[in-house]
Amino acid sequence: MTSMLPIIQERRTKTSIFVVLKVTQACNMGCRYCSAEKDVAKVPLLTGAMGKAVIDALIDLGLPSYSVCFHGGEPLLGFKAIRETVEYAQGLPAPVDFRFSIQSNLSLMTDAIAAWCHDRHVSVGFSLDGEPTTNEVFRVFHDGRGTTHATLNGLATLQRYQRRVGCVAVIGGHNFDKTAGFFHFLLEHGVDRVSLNRMAPVGKGIDVCRHESITDEQYVTCLTDCYLMMVESKYRIQVKPITDWARKIIHPASQSHGCYECGAGWSHISVDPVGNVYACDRFTFDPHWISGNLRHAPLLEIFNESKMTSCRTRTERIPECTRCPVRYVCGGSCAVTSYYAKGTIDLPGHECGNMRQFIPWLDRRLAEHPIERLAMEAAILGADPQDVYPQLVEAVAAGALG
């Protein structure tokens, strides 16, 4: 095992990395903006042996902790390998902290899987784009049937074992103006954490975006509405990446594993089922973006490969980024969407325009509303804004806070 090393010299010494481990490219759903394969037999499926090899490679890298997210396709198609990988890592004597999660459509969730995840401290998140009529504009099975009922059934099963379950929603023309109803729908189903992803020009999304893309102004309106709903709910529902941006505005040194600032090639990597390593999970399965294979090279060597280096130094090569006042929050937006939409990572990503509008608005909002700023400061310290918000309102009303 190598000693602890600063693996990204030009940015900062990392003490943790977020690793997306792709279990399969296949999925039992056929979402119209996704590139997943229908037939699991046509694509590689993660094996327990490969999962263990990933764990060994991470331990050999020498960092004290890792967050590993099992992803797909639909990762529960390969649950056997997930189980073997997690149990192997948790049975090792090495002093390394592994935090495991699964991102699933939940249609394959069972009591046995949910109980195992609970016992092994593996958190599970899911994807949904809105109420049924909205969600099923794109999220359907391969035969065209709607998926919402299957996802909600899986969610109910999971919630018997996991109290808090987070949702990821893709935002496009089908739902950017329907978030109020969606948030109420989520709360009715016991979900109070949601992450928004603007529909990205990757995979099948390249064609879908031509018809369903939204303008920067539309997405800024969506983000603004979501922030105000979050506050009006007294933080009963919390929205990423808005909470990430707020914490970054207040405390620039704060970090999250998300792409804000873009972690491609330094704090965020992806490994496919056969051991190929990529700078970001959105590059996974694109042969051009393979940086190496952990069966043939140590991860430290792969981190120094040219594609990795190019991703983590890209903002220095983008004039719009070097001059941008919100760069410290957005980090140049998404390298992957820049590449697939514009043919190069050396241009701002597809969220640049909405970042330049929304982040200054959020900065002003936090400056003008001290209770909201204090709630985000509490989140930086590890408190739940929902828990502290009532006390902050009372303290301000009593004159204890300015």
Side-chain angles (χ1 to χ4, degrees):
M1 176 174 170
T2 60
S3 61
M4 174 69 177
L5 291 170
I7 58 175
I8 291 38
Q9 299 289 348
E10 57 271 57
R11 295 293 291 274
R12 68 193 68 175
T13 298
K14 291 299 295 177
T15 59
S16 183
I17 294 174
F18 183 74
V19 182
V20 176
L21 181 48
K22 293 287 188 176
V23 177
T24 178
Q25 193 178 1
C27 186
N28 61 323
M29 289 187 181
C31 302
R32 297 188 175 109
Y33 48 55
C34 180
S35 300
E37 170 60 47
K38 177 179 180 179
D39 187 353
V40 68
K42 289 184 178 180
V43 291
L45 184 67
L46 183 71
T47 64
M50 178 53 66
K52 294 172 186 177
V54 172
I55 297 300
D56 289 340
L58 293 172
I59 290 173
D60 192 56
L61 189 60
L63 300 181
S65 66
Y66 301 93
S67 294
V68 179
C69 177
F70 296 99
H71 206 278
E74 172 46 49
L76 294 186
L77 289 168
F79 178 69
K80 180 176 181 291
I82 294 175
R83 184 180 64 238
E84 292 177 8
T85 302
V86 171
E87 292 179 0
Y88 174 73
Q90 294 179 346
L92 291 173
V96 178
D97 176 27
F98 284 98
R99 296 182 293 277
F100 291 105
S101 62
I102 300 172
Q103 185 64 31
S104 169
N105 63 40
L106 294 186
S107 64
L108 302 176
M109 181 58 63
T110 65
D111 279 281
I113 293 175
W116 177 88
C117 289
H118 173 269
D119 293 343
R120 291 288 176 169
H121 306 288
V122 177
S123 63
V124 184
F126 74 106
S127 302
L128 199 72
D129 287 356
E131 297 174 85
T133 54
T134 301
N135 183 60
E136 291 165 7
V137 170
F138 292 110
R139 297 188 62 80
V140 295
F141 286 109
H142 291 284
D143 61 5
R145 289 180 297 119
T147 62
T148 309
H149 182 69
T151 293
L152 293 179
N153 279 345
L155 174 64
T157 298
L158 180 61
Q159 287 172 324
R160 289 197 284 269
Y161 303 87
Q162 179 177 318
R163 184 180 68 86
R164 177 160 283 165
V165 183
C167 173
V168 175
V170 173
I171 302 297
H174 64 308
N175 63 352
F176 79 94
D177 56 350
K178 298 178 175 65
T179 50
F182 180 34
F183 286 2
H184 288 300
F185 181 76
L186 288 175
L187 287 170
E188 288 172 0
H189 287 86
V191 177
D192 60 5
R193 298 291 187 274
V194 59
S195 180
L196 307 182
N197 286 338
R198 184 174 177 178
M199 186 179 287
V202 297
K204 292 180 184 176
I206 294 176
D207 294 325
V208 171
C209 276
R210 295 190 182 118
H211 306 287
E212 289 294 328
S213 61
I214 53 178
T215 65
D216 291 332
E217 290 71 23
Q218 286 173 323
Y219 194 48
V220 169
T221 298
C222 174
L223 292 170
T224 304
D225 289 345
C226 289
Y227 179 82
L228 295 175
M229 282 186 282
M230 184 169 64
V231 174
E232 289 167 8
S233 75
K234 300 178 181 178
Y235 299 95
R236 280 186 64 216
I237 194 158
Q238 294 177 37
V239 185
K240 289 172 66 72
I242 297 174
T243 51
D244 289 339
W245 294 333
R247 291 196 293 267
K248 197 78 172 176
I249 288 169
I250 294 168
H251 185 53
S254 64
Q255 298 178 36
S256 101
H257 67 66
C259 291
Y260 305 100
E261 65 182 80
C262 181
W266 66 285
S267 67
H268 178 115
I269 63 169
S270 175
V271 183
D272 72 18
V274 297
N276 293 317
V277 181
Y278 308 79
C280 179
D281 67 287
R282 282 179 164 178
F283 279 137
T284 314
F285 305 120
D286 184 336
H288 174 76
W289 283 97
I290 297 173
S291 292
N293 190 292
L294 55 79
R295 295 175 299 176
H296 310 306
L299 272 176
L300 183 61
E301 180 179 315
I302 294 172
F303 265 109
N304 288 319
E305 184 270 342
S306 60
K307 296 182 186 70
M308 290 278 188
T309 302
S310 180
C311 282
R312 65 178 177 259
T313 59
R314 62 183 282 266
T315 54
E316 283 78 9
R317 301 191 300 273
I318 302 175
E320 297 94 329
C321 291
T322 59
R323 298 191 297 264
C324 181
V326 302
R327 176 190 173 189
Y328 75 103
V329 177
C330 96
S333 191
C334 178
V336 181
T337 57
S338 174
Y339 176 76
Y340 288 113
K342 304 170 185 177
T344 176
I345 66 171
D346 291 343
L347 288 170
H350 75 307
E351 293 199 43
C352 177
N354 61 251
M355 294 277 206
R356 287 173 178 265
Q357 296 178 54
F358 180 72
I359 291 174
W361 177 88
L362 182 59
D363 193 358
R364 293 192 299 271
R365 174 82 189 191
L366 291 169
E368 295 167 0
H369 294 78
I371 296 177
E372 296 169 24
R373 186 179 184 92
L374 288 168
M376 288 296 100
E377 288 180 353
I380 294 170
L381 297 174
D384 188 331
Q386 182 180 348
D387 294 336
V388 302
Y389 188 76
Q391 289 85 353
L392 291 174
V393 173
E394 291 177 5
V396 169
L401 296 174

